[in-house]
Amino acid sequence: MAEQTMSSFVEEIMEMNCLSCVICKEVLRPPIMLTQNIGNVCSTCYEEKCELSQMTSLPNEPMEKILKLMKLPCKYKQKGCNETLSYEELLTHQNGCRYRTKLCALFKFTGCEWEGNRNDFATHFKECHGDHVINFENNIFFLETSLRDLHLVKLLIMNKKIYILRMQTNQEKRRLFYMICNVKDEHSSFCEYSVKHKGSSDNYIKTKSKILSSYNIYNEFDENIAVQVDLDALKQISQISDTITNIFKIKTEDSRTENLDEKILHFFECPVCKNYMKPPIYQCQSGHSICNTCRPRLEKCPTCRAIFGTTRNYSLEGLTSGVQYPCLYHDLGCPEAAVATVISRHERECQFKPYSCPFPNCTSTGNYQTMINHLIAFHSDAVIYNGATGYSESFRLDNSSCYTKIFDRKCVIAFNQIFRLSCKRHADHCLWAAEVYGSNIDMKTYVYEVTIVDMRRPEKKFIRTDYCLSDVSEEELSKRCIMFPNSILSSYSNHGMITFHFNIKEK
């Protein structure tokens, strides 16, 4: 009888919300804080609501003691759970209760009324809101967003972990706000993420924050606990467009990479480009080090303004043989790490290496596969692929309107590389050149061949070959190309038309 009376008493005070947090409406989690003019607040809400720390609050220890003496029903009782447990057991049970349900995270924006088991949460998103799902590996994903009015919700699926990203702009405050919340309500002492906001320039803005609880998925967007970035600063790095690329990198307990190598690598950071220095490493007269890429561009040390000589930091170079360098493109998703000599070779052909479109006036960028897809989709009339390694073309030799201009530019996708082929005419000669675009491989790996054919007698040919260049300026291209004088070309013309074959070959 006494047990029934206690059970009735507990149900009664539960219905009155006497044991609930005034903010999240969940059973109070210790340490419970009694906040002036607010009421009892659980530990999770007190930590996440920054403004509460500015108010007068006291630990409500008597309430904690009362809770520990009670046996409480599972919050999913109405869903079919009949468990009644001690306060400490209850919190653990509810996190894994098989009757536990979730609302659709988009119900406020789309009116979706789905409610179901948390294990079906991701399945529902995929089936009903597929355009809001981002699957990713290696703890990194990319998201392009507008700097104008923005209000988005994305489901992030990383292996077995599921998160919700909420992002929006406030044009009045000129701020971009966002937060990532854990769908599964798992509390972790280490669960954080960083974001690089990149535009069309090399500059970027980086932020870092912790992943929040699922409570923030369903409540009003709280700008006080969200990460905020200045919209005007983002506009500056986006330059012409109003679009930025957000590179999210999530760190969890099982993916934490803060190890000895990372701590040591801090001392290898170049003060100019912020990349890690690899041999040869140079230093100024005062002993400040700089990487071999930035050294040729500077006369004076950026730290102390001392003159640079040819002095190298051999002590620092000696340490590189025992340090695991992350790939230069690790922020773009590459998981590779190796000693300096090995990682440098890897970086030349890294699949995550960013490419810009090889055609003038096109600003598209992306990794190798993204760029291949872009070229085929938007420049198909000037792209050779599907096994072909070159093309044939004809032009009129006396057409003076093409002088000093590149009159023919094409791309060849072959040998897992992108080649840019260019033809240029002058008053007294014609030029042909081929570049291995966006790659730092040994240039003697590939050659290009230009064949001038007399179409009156196809067996009559003039053939020249040369090594492919790395992508260079147009001025440099004119100095290092294959050149045919017009006096020779005219002897191969057919009624003033010159026919040529332009091919790429692997040595």
Side-chain angles (χ1 to χ4, degrees):
M1 186 70 179
E3 189 174 331
Q4 287 183 336
T5 304
M6 176 58 77
S7 177
S8 301
F9 170 71
V10 171
E11 286 184 13
E12 185 177 338
I13 60 173
M14 289 286 285
E15 288 177 6
M16 295 170 62
N17 293 321
C18 295
L19 305 179
S20 303
C21 171
V22 294
I23 297 176
C24 68
K25 309 304 180 186
E26 299 284 345
V27 174
L28 290 159
R29 292 173 179 245
I32 301 168
M33 301 301 292
L34 182 59
T35 304
Q36 187 176 15
N37 299 325
I38 299 290
N40 286 311
V41 179
C42 71
S43 59
T44 302
C45 293
Y46 189 78
E47 289 175 4
E48 292 184 352
K49 294 283 185 180
C50 300
E51 66 272 18
L52 293 179
S53 62
Q54 309 299 320
M55 301 179 180
T56 303
S57 300
L58 293 171
N60 195 340
E61 293 180 0
M63 176 65 80
E64 290 180 26
K65 290 178 180 178
I66 291 171
L67 279 170
K68 287 179 181 179
L69 294 173
M70 290 183 169
K71 285 198 171 184
L72 306 171
C74 174
K75 64 187 286 186
Y76 304 110
K77 180 178 180 179
Q78 292 182 346
K79 303 290 183 183
C81 184
N82 295 318
E83 293 288 340
T84 302
L85 304 161
S86 68
Y87 175 65
E88 292 177 351
E89 293 172 331
L90 183 68
L91 298 177
T92 303
H93 164 77
Q94 288 180 164
N95 282 336
C97 180
R98 64 192 181 96
Y99 294 98
R100 181 180 178 185
T101 60
K102 290 275 186 186
L103 296 173
C104 176
L106 291 172
F107 79 98
K108 285 189 177 180
F109 313 106
T110 65
C112 179
E113 297 180 351
W114 179 88
E115 181 178 358
N117 188 288
R118 63 174 184 166
N119 294 327
D120 298 326
F121 190 86
T123 302
H124 162 72
F125 250 80
K126 290 176 183 178
E127 292 178 350
C128 301
H129 312 292
D131 54 336
H132 290 272
V133 178
I134 299 176
N135 284 283
F136 62 102
E137 298 177 357
N138 300 326
N139 301 74
I140 292 178
F141 71 92
F142 301 79
L143 181 64
E144 287 196 358
T145 54
S146 169
L147 295 179
R148 298 173 185 173
D149 291 336
L150 173 71
H151 202 132
L152 64 80
V153 176
K154 297 286 185 183
L155 180 77
L156 314 176
I157 302 176
M158 182 185 73
N159 300 324
K160 294 182 179 180
K161 297 188 180 296
I162 306 174
Y163 306 100
I164 286 288
L165 167 66
R166 297 181 68 181
M167 181 179 275
Q168 62 186 51
T169 53
N170 185 324
Q171 296 296 339
E172 226 176 85
K173 295 182 179 180
R174 300 297 299 158
R175 291 286 187 274
L176 168 69
F177 295 95
Y178 55 88
M179 62 174 71
I180 293 181
C181 309
N182 194 343
V183 170
K184 294 187 176 181
D185 291 330
E186 295 168 346
H187 178 71
S188 173
S189 58
F190 184 87
C191 198
E192 63 181 31
Y193 64 98
S194 60
V195 186
K196 270 190 178 181
H197 306 280
K198 290 177 65 69
S200 53
S201 69
D202 291 332
N203 298 325
Y204 61 85
I205 296 173
K206 187 172 183 178
T207 62
K208 184 182 286 187
S209 185
K210 287 190 174 182
I211 292 176
L212 305 176
S213 69
S214 64
Y215 157 74
N216 297 283
I217 296 175
Y218 303 101
N219 286 355
E220 290 299 321
F221 193 91
D222 190 343
E223 295 180 351
N224 293 316
I225 63 172
V227 181
Q228 53 180 293
V229 187
D230 187 271
L231 277 180
D232 294 323
L234 291 173
K235 176 67 177 174
Q236 190 173 7
I237 65 171
S238 70
Q239 295 187 344
I240 302 172
S241 70
D242 281 330
T243 302
I244 56 168
T245 300
N246 308 284
I247 306 170
F248 287 79
K249 185 174 184 179
I250 294 180
K251 279 189 175 183
T252 57
E253 287 179 336
D254 54 359
S255 67
R256 194 174 184 180
T257 57
E258 186 65 28
N259 53 32
L260 181 60
D261 281 332
E262 287 194 346
K263 292 177 181 177
I264 293 176
L265 280 169
H266 171 73
F267 298 101
F268 287 85
E269 189 176 272
C270 174
V272 179
C273 67
K274 303 302 180 183
N275 290 326
Y276 296 128
M277 296 181 286
K278 308 183 189 81
I281 300 172
Y282 294 94
Q283 64 179 26
C284 72
Q285 295 174 354
S286 301
H288 299 118
S289 297
I290 194 167
C291 76
N292 53 60
T293 303
C294 296
R295 169 62 192 89
R297 304 172 187 168
L298 302 172
E299 292 184 2
K300 294 183 179 180
C301 173
T303 304
C304 66
R305 312 306 296 168
I307 300 295
F308 274 119
T310 58
T311 307
R312 286 168 59 177
N313 190 336
Y314 289 105
S315 297
L316 200 57
E317 287 182 18
L319 293 174
T320 61
S321 61
V323 176
Q324 293 286 308
Y325 282 81
C327 173
L328 185 62
Y329 311 110
H330 68 281
D331 281 338
L332 300 179
C334 182
E336 293 294 324
V339 294
T341 52
V342 176
I343 204 66
S344 294
R345 287 195 297 270
H346 159 79
E347 288 167 353
R348 296 188 192 112
E349 299 183 7
C350 178
Q351 62 175 322
F352 293 92
K353 181 178 180 177
Y355 286 75
S356 56
C357 182
F359 289 100
N361 304 319
C362 182
T363 59
S364 292
T365 59
N367 61 27
Y368 175 78
Q369 192 55 54
T370 301
M371 187 50 57
I372 295 296
N373 296 338
H374 165 77
L375 291 172
I376 294 172
F378 295 95
H379 306 285
S380 57
D381 56 333
V383 177
I384 295 95
Y385 58 104
N386 284 340
T389 59
Y391 71 102
S392 300
E393 194 66 81
S394 299
F395 65 92
R396 181 166 290 281
L397 188 60
D398 58 0
N399 185 1
S400 60
S401 64
C402 295
Y403 289 169
T404 71
K405 298 177 182 177
I406 292 178
F407 70 90
D408 192 32
R409 173 166 278 164
K410 287 183 169 51
C411 279
V412 173
I413 301 170
F415 311 115
N416 294 319
Q417 301 289 345
I418 300 173
F419 298 88
R420 181 167 64 179
L421 282 54
S422 305
C423 308
K424 188 175 182 180
R425 293 193 55 206
H426 291 271
D428 57 352
H429 63 274
C430 293
L431 310 174
W432 282 263
E435 307 159 80
V436 185
Y437 195 73
S439 179
N440 295 321
I441 63 166
D442 183 357
M443 291 302 110
K444 293 186 178 181
T445 304
Y446 304 103
V447 297
Y448 66 102
E449 179 182 272
V450 181
T451 304
I452 308 299
V453 182
D454 187 343
M455 296 306 292
R456 297 167 300 179
R457 291 181 296 165
E459 70 276 5
K460 183 183 176 183
K461 300 175 181 178
F462 189 1
I463 302 172
R464 289 192 60 185
T465 62
D466 202 348
Y467 292 115
C468 292
L469 306 168
S470 58
D471 44 302
V472 296
S473 65
E474 191 172 326
E475 182 181 353
E476 186 69 16
L477 202 67
S478 300
K479 298 175 183 177
R480 300 169 59 188
C481 59
I482 289 177
M483 183 191 74
F484 287 99
N486 286 355
S487 57
I488 292 178
L489 290 175
S490 61
S491 65
Y492 289 82
S493 69
N494 179 20
H495 303 294
M497 296 296 292
I498 302 297
T499 300
F500 66 88
H501 303 318
F502 200 161
N503 285 287
I504 303 296
K505 294 183 177 182
E506 186 176 25
K507 289 198 69 178

